[in-house]
DNA sequence: GTGTTTGTTATCAA
DNA sequence: CTTGATAACAAACA
């Protein structure tokens, strides 16, 4: 479930390893993943050099030479795994992914695997794997104009930007009858928050997820703006939250999971008051909260 | 077999 | 027209 901190972590890793390198070949394994059509997609990227890796909300933007932008959305289960030049061992098999660093460990096996939808080969031997178990994620080639349009039309301010402050929160809540949680999940209002960080932020702010947005007080808006920034910043520091059945138990370092106060803790004790954390569906999403600490 | 998981869009209802 | 709520999508697991 990659939200802003997870996507930002991936962005930094890709930037470090891939900027300045040329794509020598692209293999689309599952055609629907490449929104432009596999043939066009491959042609557009082959031979192009990666110039820059940026992010808007949960959307990754890879800028290539010649006005070519690759938009990548991981949706729920997308992964981008980068492996340096594969070292061949006897028998022609590549070295176990486990031995090739943290990112590879996350997939827990060799690559490509059965969830690999696309593979990018870079000059010098590095390979980037796009894995997506549930096939919701996508890759799309656009030009700068289209990229700017997509960003402008779909994404509100970033949580860490100055624009996201108490006044902004207050403004987007004013007169709204929808639940505060649904509003915070709206990417057009705030870019990058997902189910995990919204639950965490609402707990930290002492606001119930089911509260009508319009009833938010000025004090609560101040608190909410503040905790959103603190939580997102910290989560980025910790390289995101790995909340997946396979990876939890492997004890990944730099994991925000152990700092979660309410998400995934249904029926457990509230770390603040000792009461029971409740879990119920709000706005069609699993929502975790403490009815004692949140009002 | 059933219910649950989530980011985003599409669709429907008020 | 606006706003809000919900279904749908995909696939695997308990």
């Amino acid at each position: 479930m990659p939200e802003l901190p997870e996507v930002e972590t991936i962005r930094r890793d890709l930037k470090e390893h891939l900027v300045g390198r040329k794509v020598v070949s692209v293999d689309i394994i599952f055609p629907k993943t490449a929104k432009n059509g596999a043939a066009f997609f491959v042609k557009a990227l082959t031979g192009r050099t990666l110039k820059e890796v940026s992010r808007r909300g949960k959307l990754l933007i890879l800028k290539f030479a010649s006005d070519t932008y690759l938009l990548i959305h991981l949706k729920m289960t997308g992964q981008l795994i980068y492996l340096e030049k594969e070292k061949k061992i006897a028998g022609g098999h590549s070295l176990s992914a486990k031995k090739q660093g943290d990112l590879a460990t996350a997939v827990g096996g060799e690559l490509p695997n059965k969830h690999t939808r696309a593979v990018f080969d870079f000059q010098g031997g590095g390979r980037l794997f796009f894995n997506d178990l549930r096939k919701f994620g996508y890759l799309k080639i656009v030009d700068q104009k289209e990229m700017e349009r997509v960003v402008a039309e779909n994404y509100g301010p970033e949580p860490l930007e100055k624009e996201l402050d108490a006044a902004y929160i207050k403004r987007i809540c004013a007169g709204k009858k929808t639940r505060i949680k649904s509003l915070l999940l709206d990417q057009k209002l705030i870019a990058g928050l997902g189910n995990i960080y919204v639950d965490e932020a609402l707990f930290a702010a002492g606001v119930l997820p089911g509260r009508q947005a319009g009833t938010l007080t000025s004090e609560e808006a101040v608190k909410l703006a503040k905790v959103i920034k603190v939580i997102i910043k910290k989560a980025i520091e910790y390289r995101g939250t790995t909340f997946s059945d396979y990876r939890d138990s492997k004890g990944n370092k730099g994991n925000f999971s152990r700092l979660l106060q309410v998400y995934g803790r249904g029926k457990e004790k509230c770390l603040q008051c000792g009461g029971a954390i409740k879990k119920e569906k709000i706005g069609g999403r699993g929502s975790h909260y403490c009815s004692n600490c949140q009002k």
Side-chain angles (χ1 to χ4, degrees), chain A residues 145-162:
Chain A
K145 198 177 162 194
E146 173 74 356
M147 180 275 287
E148 285 170 353
R149 190 190 64 77
V150 168
V151 166
E153 286 182 6
N154 296 295
Y155 297 98
E158 292 278 322
L160 297 183
E161 277 173 3
K162 207 175 171 187

Side-chain angles (χ1 to χ4, degrees), chain A residues 6 26 42 55 64 137 142 154 163 174 194 244 255 279 284 292-293:
Chain A
E6 292 75 34
V26 180
V42 169
R55 175 193 61 74
F64 286 86
V142 296
N154 296 295
E163 187 182 348
S244 165
N255 201 317
K279 181 184 176 187
N292 183 42
C293 297

Side-chain angles (χ1 to χ4, degrees), chain A residues 274-288:
Chain A
I277 301 284
K278 288 177 185 161
K279 181 184 176 187
E280 71 177 277
K281 274 215 161 131
I282 292 174
R285 295 292 170 241
S287 302
H288 314 72

Side-chain angles (χ1 to χ4, degrees), chain A residues 2 42 89 131 152 245 259 277 282:
Chain A
V42 169
I89 58 172
N131 301 328
D245 329 6
L259 297 186
I277 301 284
I282 292 174

Side-chain angles (χ1 to χ4, degrees), chain A residues 202-223:
Chain A
L202 286 170
F203 174 78
V207 176
L208 288 168
R211 271 274 291 284
Q212 264 194 17
T215 70
L216 204 74
T217 67
S218 296
E219 264 182 8
E220 287 169 331
V222 168
K223 204 157 191 185

Side-chain angles (χ1 to χ4, degrees), chain A residues 21 24 82-86 120-127:
Chain A
R21 299 178 68 178
V24 292
Y82 174 73
L83 296 185
E84 280 295 345
K85 187 172 182 174
E86 290 176 271
F120 303 82
D121 280 280
F122 284 82
Q123 205 160 48
R127 308 187 89 190

